[in-house]
Amino acid sequence: MPTPRLPLRLVLLAAVAIGAVLVLALLAATVNSVLEFYQRLGELPLWLRAPLVAVAALVLAALAWLVWKLARPARVVPPDATVPVSRAEVDARLETLRARHAETAALESELAELDRRHASGELYVALFGEISTGKSSLIRALAPEALVEVDVRGGTTREVRHHRGRLPDGRELVLADVPGSGEVGGAVHEQIARDEALRAHAVAYLAASDLTRAQHAELAWLARFGKPIVLALNKADLYDEAEREALLGRLRAVDGAAAVVAISAGGSERFERLLADGRREAVERERRPEIAPLLDALVDLTAGGAAALEPAREAAVLAEVGRRGDELARATAAAEAERAVVKYTRRAVVGALAAVAPGSDILIQGAIGTALVRELARIHGVAVRELDVEGLLTRVGLTVRNTTAIVLAIAGNALKAFPGLGTLGGGVLHAIAYGLVFDSLGHALAATLAERQRLDADDVEARVRALLAQPSRERVERVARIALDAARGASTDGGIPQPRR
Ligand SMILES: Nc1nc2c(ncn2[C@@H]2O[C@H](COP(=O)(O)OP(=O)(O)OP(=O)(O)O)[C@@H](O)[C@H]2O)c(=O)[nH]1
Ligand SMILES: [Mg+2]
């Protein structure tokens, strides 16, 4: 007769009930002992009570501090934080990058443009803002002879164009019209605009209504470079007096801008005209620009002339070139590391195939492992001691020993992807396994060195373990191909690798 099974729900209910009773009992006991302790404390003479209370308070404070230290969320440095950097430092970084054959042309031309503008002594003002906020229309109003394209469609301006204009006080300036930001898929144009904004002495940031979250972020990014900014509410003609004042009030509350003004850059308007004979005619007419408040703000903001604003402009460009130089250095190191990993994986595979005597392969791999660690450390500019390298290899070796079965299974599976390999024998399987170990060690170590800038064995080991546990198909096939190429090469040489037990 089958035994009647208790419904799972009932079992769970019972467990929860028992748990609740236990928790309540524990709570009551704790409260009770606290009360008792408190009572006893009250009975103690003051000379004994006072130090006891003080010690308890200290312990509690230390505990609270510890909890705070452990639980506090890590401080996140925004990725685009601007780090001030000197010209000499930037030049030195570029020199190092050139020596590593990195593509430094763009950064060099940025520095050349920095020097060219410095020598020209001209005042540069960039217009900046989302698409269709009226940047090109504003250029047309500021520099009437300028040939600029204005369109109702967003994304009309695709590159930076410079135009000469004149401030009301008679000073000349160079105006930069730039592509609008916020266009779908317009990351490249946005970067062009941002770069030009950094190159300018001052920026007129155009908006056509309240700022969106993206516009807030853009303005904050620009302000972090210490750029003098006029925030201009364009298309003010579209709002009545009350709406305009309310909008301006909100824009004034935004951080980052030195001045906030309302303008009408102009643009053109279309309307229908009713003719005397009853016909209707579509007419397009230029709107009259009203930009005096912006011009006045620019006069104030640039009162010291280009020379006074030059140090801040240079600092902004250098900070950005420095940031990009760092990015390029990281990418260059990553590419070098990748090549090194492939090189040593191949050597490990070839070594494993050549090692006929049992046990000799371990020695060969030890030497190759040391060389791999040394080369990756050199690429990432991390100094390592002999002892650390040995320690790391021993630890990873132990990890690998524990996972050998997995690695061999993976290698076996990989072989199935290459038909007709029966003749090559178990040596190849072994070699693929070795290759996977080296490939995993190399990638793990490269990632640790790039992220932590030191040989953190714990981190490397954890990463190796993760990589070996779940190797991607692409990785396994790549290593398998290296092994097969090496094995075929060996067999055409006549030295067919022996199957291993
Ligand atoms: N009502 C009104 N419309 C304007 C004003 N200024 C520009 N416009 C219109 O806004 C639209 C976009 O103007 P553009 O000058 O091309 O804007 P933009 O910022 O250069 O645009 P992108 O180059 O695409 O980033 C056009 O249809 C203009 O006629 C203004 O002051 N008032
Ligand atoms: Mg434009």
Side-chain angles (χ1 to χ4, degrees), residues 48-81:
L48 202 58
R49 204 185 335 155
L52 264 180
V53 169
V55 167
L58 262 177
V59 169
L60 273 180
L63 207 67
W65 176 81
L66 199 71
V67 168
W68 164 243
K69 270 295 256 197
L70 292 177
R72 185 181 50 162
R75 208 160 58 92
V76 182
V77 180
D80 55 355

Side-chain angles (χ1 to χ4, degrees), residues 131-132 134-137 148-151 155-158 177-180:
I131 45 170
S132 279
K135 299 176 292 298
S136 298
S137 304
V148 276
E149 231 189 313
V150 170
D151 205 294
T156 315
T157 308
R158 292 310 207 178
D177 188 12
V178 309

